[in-house]
Amino acid sequence: MDVLIKNGLVFSGDSTPPKKSNIFISNGVIQMITTNEIPENHSMKVIDANGNWVMPGFIDFHTHYDAEIEAAPGLTESLRHGVTTVSLGSCSLSLALGTPEDLADMFSRVEAIPREEVLPLLQKVKNWNSLRTYKDHLNSLPLGPNVTSFIGHSCLRAHVMGLERSLTKGVKPTRQEMDKMNALLEDALQEGYMGMSINTLIWDKMDGKRFRSRPLPSTFANWSEYRHFNRTLRKWGRIFQGVPNVSSKYNLVLFMAESVGLFRKKLKTTIISMMDVKSNRFIYKLLGALSRILNKLFNADFKYQSLPEVFDLYADGVDVVVFEEFGAGTAAIHLQDMVERKKLLQDSKYRSWFRRQWTNIFLPRIFHRDFNDSKIVECPDASLVGKSFYEVSKERKQHVVDCFLDLCAEYGNDIRWYTVIANDRLEPLQTIVSHPDVMIGFSDAGAHLRGMAHYNFPLRLLKLVRDAELAGKPFMTMEKAISRVTGELADWLGIDAGHIEIGKRADIVIVRPEFLNQELGTDCEAPMPEFGNFVRLVRRNNKTVQAVLVNGKIAVIDGEPISEVGKSKDYGKFLECYLGNNDAVPTMDEEVEPNLVMAVG
């Protein structure tokens, strides 16, 4: 059905001021944008956007939907918030290559997704084992949003070297294995993958029983291996995505060096993450200064990934990803059997070890490790709910670490608590999202299902900007904010998205500005029927989003995905990266000629 969006304030996605316009869409393509009235007829679906903002669909370039997309390809938790393009394959993790068991072991613990759901799912659906057939498989799914992908270095390394060798310290790939990995990388780039993702953070650990608690395969590579693949990425003009050691932060310099374009082609490089972390209030300023020097003086193309909102975290007992950054935390998470874990938490030697590491100010950290900055939100003992661990420890006359370990030993994962890690101060957050070397993203959507819910981060950015305008202290124009989560990202990533233009595919979100309010930050939980009704943390703000269109087809009305999403193949598709292909955006004219006669009549 043809679609007419009328009377909306249209933002194009390229930072130009908005204009009240009418948009006519046919065959999934924007055929007309005009301030003149477009005649309506019975074949049109008309959306009256009067008083609302019409903008390109949002882009989420850092997700871990790789597993969920196989069970629920509609990806409705992102789609309902206006996200019309998501990227897979981040942090060295991808399902493109490898056996179901290897992939489940690499993916599940790092991203806090139940292995007992992921492994059977992959065993059931995985019928591909090449970069092309994986892309074809994604295109065969009834996708909700469009999909792009990196090739994950961990999956590539394990596939070529074998999982055990790829996880063994001191074992380097042979020349033949390096050549094979590089050939597969070339295949991926030829098929339109955006680039390669790596991981150097050793507190991202393996799941399963075979190699449980070893770091991911990518972390065992040395920098000569990364550089070998970066030569290929540089040749193609594609993207190097990485996870630095965010605790120690020292290897940030190595990522920066890879991007430098002196006497060679610059390399598009992006890493996580610039934040105003509570454990180091100065670091975001230092990072911002370093990237400015790098990009201006050393001809680099280096970007941080940042969220425009408070970075908060929920935890069930000791099952929380930030506990992996110190040995005592990892030792507890290593034990899957709750009886064995309880014994460990009650062991005096272990408790002493945990306490030493928790209170050691010299150990590298990203987590603040301050139990005063915590709140118990669920517990079998209702009298504890609403209190911090520090407050409970004072009542019990215990050291706070002993109190925490006692409660986790007694209640296991039935004690749920909350804390804020970063981005809790307004002015530093405004500085971060305004920084020219920042890409707005890093939602981790599809991962950390019980701990995080950043699915609606683009709307949170719009709220941040609108709140400042309403307070009389603007720091960014709304058209710039919208560009930062649409066209600016699409252009840097090299994908055909993020713009409202005649001849472009119609990926559009319509926002009610008066509902860019506190509801955007309200936490709630929802079951995942596809994952055995596993309950995940989500955010719901249905009044904010009037409608979402993907490929010109209405996917969401009033914040609710319609019934066809996840069933019809008329919505999302795999978007190939065009970087290196003369840097030219493929035009829709090659596929569908805009039918202006239809638009007028």
Side-chain angles (χ1 to χ4, degrees):
M1 181 177 287
D2 298 338
V3 178
L4 171 62
I5 303 173
K6 67 178 186 178
N7 302 324
L9 188 64
V10 177
F11 295 80
S12 65
D14 62 2
S15 293
T16 57
K19 183 184 294 186
K20 190 171 184 177
S21 305
N22 303 307
I23 302 174
F24 176 73
I25 300 162
S26 184
N27 296 323
V29 176
I30 298 172
Q31 306 285 357
M32 178 177 282
I33 306 171
T34 178
T35 56
N36 298 323
E37 183 179 349
I38 296 176
E40 300 176 24
N41 61 55
H42 67 276
S43 67
M44 292 180 180
K45 171 66 177 176
V46 179
I47 301 175
D48 189 349
N50 188 40
N52 298 336
W53 297 346
V54 180
M55 60 195 74
F58 304 131
I59 297 169
D60 188 347
F61 59 86
H62 190 127
T63 82
H64 292 284
Y65 274 132
D66 310 63
E68 185 175 337
I69 202 171
E70 300 299 331
L75 302 181
T76 55
E77 284 308 323
S78 287
L79 190 65
R80 70 192 313 134
H81 300 299
V83 174
T84 59
T85 300
V86 302
S87 183
L88 310 179
S90 295
C91 302
S92 86
L93 299 169
S94 167
L95 301 185
L97 300 169
T99 68
E101 187 176 15
D102 288 356
L103 295 174
D105 285 356
M106 283 187 273
F107 198 83
S108 300
R109 179 168 167 181
V110 174
E111 304 307 339
I113 302 173
R115 184 179 183 273
E116 60 270 23
E117 300 293 340
V118 173
L119 179 56
L121 174 65
L122 293 180
Q123 289 172 331
K124 178 182 177 181
V125 304
K126 192 173 185 303
N127 58 6
W128 66 89
N129 209 32
S130 73
L131 285 310
R132 171 176 290 183
T133 55
Y134 183 54
K135 182 182 78 170
D136 292 344
H137 166 73
L138 291 174
N139 268 326
S140 75
L141 298 174
L143 299 173
N146 301 298
V147 172
T148 65
S149 187
F150 292 93
I151 175 66
H153 181 236
S154 281
C155 87
L156 182 66
R157 204 170 195 265
H159 175 69
V160 172
M161 297 177 63
L163 185 59
E164 184 171 9
R165 290 187 67 244
S166 75
L167 292 171
T168 302
K169 188 175 181 179
V171 174
K172 298 180 180 180
T174 65
R175 167 66 67 176
Q176 292 77 17
E177 288 169 337
M178 286 295 294
D179 290 344
K180 186 174 181 180
M181 282 191 278
N182 197 67
L184 288 169
L185 174 59
E186 294 261 11
D187 289 346
L189 304 181
Q190 183 68 46
E191 293 299 327
Y193 290 67
M194 294 191 298
M196 172 179 277
S197 66
I198 72 162
N199 194 333
T200 67
L201 183 60
I202 60 173
W203 46 278
D204 282 346
K205 302 291 198 302
M206 295 287 292
D207 207 338
K209 295 181 179 180
R210 299 175 299 164
F211 305 103
R212 185 170 178 80
S213 296
R214 291 193 195 182
L216 293 176
S218 186
T219 66
F220 287 89
N222 55 35
W223 272 91
S224 64
E225 184 174 331
Y226 303 140
R227 291 191 188 102
H228 181 83
F229 300 130
N230 282 344
R231 285 194 286 271
T232 299
L233 294 174
R234 189 175 282 109
K235 178 182 71 174
W236 279 77
R238 297 292 171 85
I239 301 166
F240 177 46
Q241 186 217 66
V243 180
N245 189 328
V246 296
S247 291
S248 67
K249 307 171 186 66
Y250 302 130
N251 69 353
L252 170 67
V253 175
L254 297 174
F255 281 96
M256 288 183 160
E258 290 301 298
S259 188
V260 168
L262 296 179
F263 310 109
R264 64 180 182 181
K265 189 176 180 180
K266 67 178 68 174
L267 176 64
K268 283 179 175 282
T269 302
T270 176
I271 67 168
I272 59 171
S273 165
M274 187 194 286
M275 295 185 190
D276 175 29
V277 292
K278 288 187 171 184
S279 61
N280 187 335
R281 291 303 198 182
F282 176 72
I283 191 68
Y284 79 94
K285 294 181 179 180
L286 176 61
L287 293 177
L290 288 175
S291 63
R292 282 287 74 200
I293 293 170
L294 184 74
N295 288 333
K296 288 290 188 180
L297 301 184
F298 293 88
N299 191 36
D301 192 354
F302 182 87
K303 301 282 188 183
Y304 301 105
Q305 302 169 28
S306 300
L307 283 169
E309 59 191 271
V310 170
F311 194 90
D312 51 2
L313 185 67
Y314 286 84
D316 296 318
V318 297
D319 272 331
V320 56
V321 64
V322 291
F323 274 28
E324 299 271 24
E325 73 173 341
F326 61 102
T330 296
I333 298 171
H334 175 80
L335 297 175
Q336 294 174 284
D337 183 275
M338 299 306 289
V339 174
E340 291 299 315
R341 184 180 291 182
K342 180 176 182 178
K343 290 180 181 178
L344 179 69
L345 298 182
Q346 293 175 328
D347 181 81
S348 60
K349 291 183 179 179
Y350 171 80
R351 293 164 77 94
S352 176
W353 178 32
F354 189 104
R355 183 170 171 174
R356 285 197 309 273
Q357 292 198 319
W358 188 266
T359 57
N360 189 336
I361 62 173
F362 298 107
L363 278 181
R365 67 176 65 190
I366 187 141
F367 183 42
H368 51 69
R369 300 183 200 164
D370 179 5
F371 279 131
N372 194 41
D373 189 0
S374 66
K375 184 172 72 173
I376 299 169
V377 295
E378 293 179 20
C379 184
D381 181 353
S383 68
L384 302 182
V385 173
K387 299 176 181 178
S388 71
F389 289 108
Y390 180 79
E391 289 171 331
V392 177
S393 71
K394 289 300 181 183
E395 292 174 359
R396 297 187 173 193
K397 295 181 172 53
Q398 285 183 292
H399 189 279
V400 66
V401 170
D402 293 324
C403 176
F404 173 77
L405 294 176
D406 280 347
L407 291 173
C408 289
E410 182 175 359
Y411 298 117
N413 284 2
D414 290 332
I415 185 166
R416 184 162 169 80
W417 53 283
Y418 171 85
T419 190
V420 172
I421 294 178
N423 291 355
D424 56 311
R425 301 186 298 170
L426 180 59
E427 289 187 10
L429 181 57
Q430 292 176 341
T431 298
I432 289 169
V433 301
S434 303
H435 197 284
D437 303 328
V438 159
M439 301 169 68
I440 306 298
F442 179 46
S443 77
D444 264 0
H448 308 292
L449 301 176
R450 294 281 295 156
M452 303 178 191
H454 300 297
Y455 301 96
N456 64 354
F457 73 89
L459 296 173
R460 301 287 292 274
L461 175 65
L462 304 194
K463 178 186 181 300
L464 185 69
V465 172
R466 186 169 183 267
D467 285 350
E469 290 178 348
L470 294 175
K473 298 179 180 180
F475 70 95
M476 181 187 295
T477 65
M478 189 57 66
E479 52 265 32
K480 177 62 175 178
I482 290 169
S483 175
R484 297 224 77 187
V485 287
T486 59
E488 184 178 307
L489 295 179
D491 295 345
W492 196 85
L493 296 169
I495 55 176
D496 183 23
H499 296 277
I500 292 181
E501 296 176 10
I502 291 176
K504 290 286 189 182
R505 187 183 61 258
D507 297 335
I508 293 174
V509 57
I510 306 173
V511 171
R512 296 184 177 102
E514 67 271 25
F515 289 106
L516 291 169
N517 55 30
Q518 294 300 323
E519 188 179 340
L520 295 175
T522 301
D523 300 321
C524 55
E525 294 182 339
M528 302 177 68
E530 302 83 5
F531 278 4
N533 284 322
F534 183 83
V535 177
R536 72 165 156 194
L537 192 68
V538 298
R539 288 189 169 122
R540 298 285 169 83
N541 42 266
N542 292 356
K543 294 179 181 178
T544 313
V545 176
Q546 180 185 4
V548 179
L549 284 76
V550 181
N551 198 24
K553 189 173 174 67
I554 296 173
V556 174
I557 294 291
D558 293 331
E560 289 288 350
I562 68 172
S563 60
E564 291 180 66
V565 171
K567 300 174 184 176
S568 170
K569 295 183 181 180
D570 293 335
Y571 294 101
K573 64 177 184 179
F574 188 94
L575 300 184
E576 295 184 10
C577 178
Y578 61 77
L579 292 175
N581 302 334
N582 298 319
D583 286 353
V585 181
T587 64
M588 294 299 297
D589 296 0
E590 298 169 2
E591 301 178 16
V592 183
E593 183 177 352
N595 191 336
L596 298 183
V597 175
M598 180 188 300
V600 174

